[in-house]
Amino acid sequence: MIAIELSVDTIDAALAADTLDVQRIELCSAGALGGLTPGPGLLETAIARCHRVAVHPLIRPRAGGFHYTPAEIDVLLADIAAAVDAGAAGVVVGALTEHHEVDKTVLTDLVAAAQGHEVTFHRAIDISRDPLLAMERLIESGVHRVLSSGHAARAEDGASTLAEMVRIAQGQLTVMACGGIRANNVHAILAATGVTHLHGAPRTPARPDILDGAVSATEFGAQPQFDLAGARALIAAVRNPPTPTLDD
């Protein structure tokens, strides 16, 4: 069976995902920024109230790149420890050197901090210098899963690289495809890559606050909404693949 993970950044989205036929949620805050570490209230409430899906918080202390200072690494380690203590099923992490290579030293410490819980290496791999070399380092570091669009903006464009990543992994870690995966393209992505895990982030565009028919003069940041209909369509497409015809 194809495993499906959904990215969510609010408690309502987490609870909606918990009603769907998915295996995991990647829980974050500020999805519009690529996701940041969820606060303790969001994390603990999601873990307490999501009874079907496994909750895997994203551990990312700030927006921007993935080369961290020593103080930021301390924050990463503390947030991982807090997630484990809160009952998270796993964590989603990533760290690169200043040369855009997997920081194996930091990653080894992050994996150790997870205390045996599942560790997913996030899309830092998609801005690494060489994602195929990165795969070797992830395997050596004991990571369970890697989230990637194949060094491209979308999984469709990175399909050949994703397929090569699957080949390199050889079952030693799981390659989870992401990046613009929707109901209309998921079958082609599965066929082209050979992945068995998918990550979807269905969201509708953010809308500005409207006050008396006009956009509010004060802007506190618009929040894209979880696209429940899009998530259901993706899941339905995965669970009901097209039937081959005699012409196929």
Side-chain angles (χ1 to χ4, degrees), residues 224-241:
Q225 298 298 305
F226 180 66
D227 183 0
L228 181 57
R232 285 173 171 160
L234 172 62
I235 295 163
V238 173
R239 302 298 181 226
N240 301 282

Side-chain angles (χ1 to χ4, degrees), residues 9-11 14 25-29 36-50 54-59 78-91:
D9 60 358
T10 66
I11 187 58
I25 58 171
E26 179 197 65
L27 182 70
C28 63
S29 64
L36 300 175
T37 306
L42 174 56
L43 177 61
E44 292 171 13
T45 304
I47 291 171
R49 296 188 59 181
C50 290
V55 178
H56 290 236
L58 175 66
I59 308 298
D79 282 337
I80 292 172
V84 170
D85 289 345
V91 293

Side-chain angles (χ1 to χ4, degrees), residues 199-227:
H199 172 100
R203 292 187 175 94
T204 58
R207 297 174 181 172
D209 285 335
I210 303 296
L211 179 64
D212 296 332
V215 176
S216 173
T218 304
E219 177 59 68
F220 292 101
Q223 173 75 14
Q225 298 298 305
F226 180 66
D227 183 0

Side-chain angles (χ1 to χ4, degrees), residues 13 21 87 130-131 135 148 151 154 169 192-193 223 232:
D21 183 15
D130 184 342
M135 287 290 293
S148 177
H151 219 231
R154 295 164 56 86
T193 63
Q223 173 75 14
R232 285 173 171 160

Side-chain angles (χ1 to χ4, degrees), residues 13-24:
L15 295 178
D18 193 50
T19 69
L20 304 176
D21 183 15
V22 300
Q23 282 63 54
R24 289 183 306 275

Side-chain angles (χ1 to χ4, degrees), residues 59 70 72-82 106 109-114:
I59 308 298
E72 288 177 325
I73 293 168
D74 288 342
V75 173
L76 288 166
L77 293 170
D79 282 337
I80 292 172
V106 172
D109 290 341
L110 300 182
V111 171

